Amino acid sequence: MSSQQLDLFGETAIVNPLSGKRICLTGIFRMPQKELNAKLKAVGVDPKFINWVSDTRTYKEGEAIPPVKESTHFFIVGSNPNEDSLKRFALNEHDGFHAKMISEDKLYEYLAGRFTDEDLVPDIVEKKLDLDYSYYNWTPPVINGKTFVTRVASPLSYDPECRSNPITRQEIYVPDFPGVDMNVIRQLIGNLGGYANKEFFDETNIVMLSDSTLEKLKQGIKDDVILGIENRYNNSNSKIFNIQFTSESDFIKWAKNRMEKFSDESSKALMAKYEVGHTVK
């Protein structure tokens, strides 16, 4: 069904998907910019909501490059798109804000009235985090020369020489692990300077995943832990998903290594309890 086709009662036409939406365009387009802006306006796009990523302007280092995170509905990619703009789009996706990416050809179809109801997007871009294994191995991008120093890379990096302690004073979400006495794990984290929480809070810095949860995530399976993290973040006021992940096995390996270098009888006793029936991978 297109905007030119009426419903069964012959009264209502589908509004153009672009109407009333914020549009971001990057790259070179066959149609001149002035003409394209006029056509976008003709289908209901407010000129104030049309963002062009310039292919001639030199953006200053660290200057924000569209697409705008919370409000961009359509990200339209022409030929030779701005690479930093593509990185910004990917960062927005990482944080749960999903503009609809379409090609130049698809844009012209919309402008000509050729689309279906599947091309429609909600008026408000809602945050929807969709966790997969890529989040476990993630490095903040460098966009327009700006290194996002406030963004943390994942997974958590452990110093094998134990000269530093990456969990000191960190809020760590430690959900229940299958077949594990969680009091032992959480006390062990506390002995080593971290704060082990049974729930995922807005202040959470690190998420420790059980080996079974991480293995499922590698296979594209989300268990209740992953779904719970998504739900908590999606219903929070945060606009940035800035979490480091670590695994049960990586933490245990580091903790054992640290105990060999720094004698800690209490932690050794806890580790002995953990190791009953467990084999660290």
Side-chain angles (χ1 to χ4, degrees):
M1 181 183 295
S2 79
S3 62
Q4 308 304 316
Q5 294 174 300
L6 304 182
D7 65 12
L8 293 176
F9 299 98
E11 297 177 351
T12 307
I14 299 179
V15 176
N16 192 290
L18 302 171
S19 179
K21 304 301 189 292
R22 180 180 288 277
I23 314 297
C24 179
L25 305 97
T26 183
I28 300 172
F29 291 79
R30 299 188 295 275
M31 185 178 295
Q33 181 173 332
K34 185 177 181 179
E35 182 180 350
L36 193 47
N37 283 346
K39 287 186 176 293
L40 287 169
K41 182 179 179 181
V43 297
V45 181
D46 189 323
K48 294 183 297 184
F49 295 159
I50 302 174
N51 301 124
W52 284 87
V53 181
S54 175
D55 59 340
T56 57
R57 170 186 169 189
T58 301
Y59 289 89
K60 297 178 181 179
E61 181 176 342
E63 188 175 359
I65 295 178
V68 178
K69 178 184 295 185
E70 300 85 31
S71 57
T72 298
H73 297 88
F74 286 96
F75 184 55
I76 305 168
V77 181
S79 61
N80 299 315
N82 182 293
E83 292 298 324
D84 284 324
S85 184
L86 295 176
K87 290 180 183 179
R88 179 68 205 191
F89 173 81
L91 184 60
N92 293 350
E93 292 254 298
H94 176 87
D95 292 330
F97 296 94
H98 306 283
K100 188 178 183 71
M101 179 188 284
I102 64 173
S103 66
E104 179 180 10
D105 289 338
K106 178 61 71 173
L107 169 63
Y108 295 149
E109 289 181 15
Y110 287 179
L111 293 176
R114 296 193 299 273
F115 51 82
T116 70
D117 53 4
E118 293 182 356
D119 295 306
L120 302 176
V121 300
D123 290 336
I124 298 176
V125 180
E126 295 184 355
K127 181 176 58 177
K128 188 177 181 181
L129 181 67
D130 185 13
L131 286 174
D132 58 28
Y133 187 66
S134 69
Y135 281 78
Y136 189 83
N137 292 289
W138 187 77
T139 302
V142 177
I143 301 178
N144 194 29
K146 178 182 179 181
T147 302
F148 288 76
V149 295
T150 58
R151 296 290 189 120
V152 292
S154 185
L156 182 67
S157 178
Y158 294 102
D159 176 10
E161 299 300 321
C162 298
R163 290 168 294 191
S164 62
N165 183 343
I167 70 169
T168 299
R169 296 187 295 277
Q170 298 297 299
E171 297 288 348
I172 308 173
Y173 171 43
V174 189
D176 289 344
F177 299 167
V180 175
D181 183 344
M182 296 310 298
N183 288 327
V184 170
I185 292 285
R186 293 178 182 126
Q187 287 179 34
L188 187 55
I189 290 171
N191 281 8
L192 296 173
Y195 304 113
N197 303 312
K198 296 180 181 180
E199 297 181 34
F200 182 89
F201 298 115
D202 292 347
E203 299 77 20
T204 296
N205 306 118
I206 299 168
V207 170
M208 186 177 295
L209 299 178
S210 69
D211 293 337
S212 61
T213 291
L214 187 56
E215 184 58 36
K216 290 176 185 175
L217 196 59
K218 286 181 180 179
Q219 299 172 22
I221 301 170
K222 299 180 184 182
D223 64 10
D224 288 343
V225 170
I226 299 300
L227 293 174
I229 294 171
E230 288 181 344
N231 183 64
R232 175 73 189 199
Y233 174 75
N234 289 334
N235 287 285
S236 74
N237 293 323
S238 178
K239 295 179 180 179
I240 296 175
F241 187 75
N242 199 29
I243 294 294
Q244 285 181 303
F245 289 96
T246 189
S247 71
E248 174 186 0
S249 287
D250 283 352
F251 168 72
I252 292 297
K253 286 181 180 179
W254 171 77
K256 291 179 68 175
N257 186 37
R258 185 175 177 83
M259 290 173 205
E260 291 177 0
K261 298 179 183 296
F262 304 101
S263 181
D264 180 349
E265 296 305 319
S266 174
S267 295
K268 287 181 179 179
L270 289 169
M271 183 64 73
K273 288 184 180 180
Y274 169 84
E275 289 183 321
V276 175
H278 289 83
T279 301
V280 180
K281 296 179 181 179

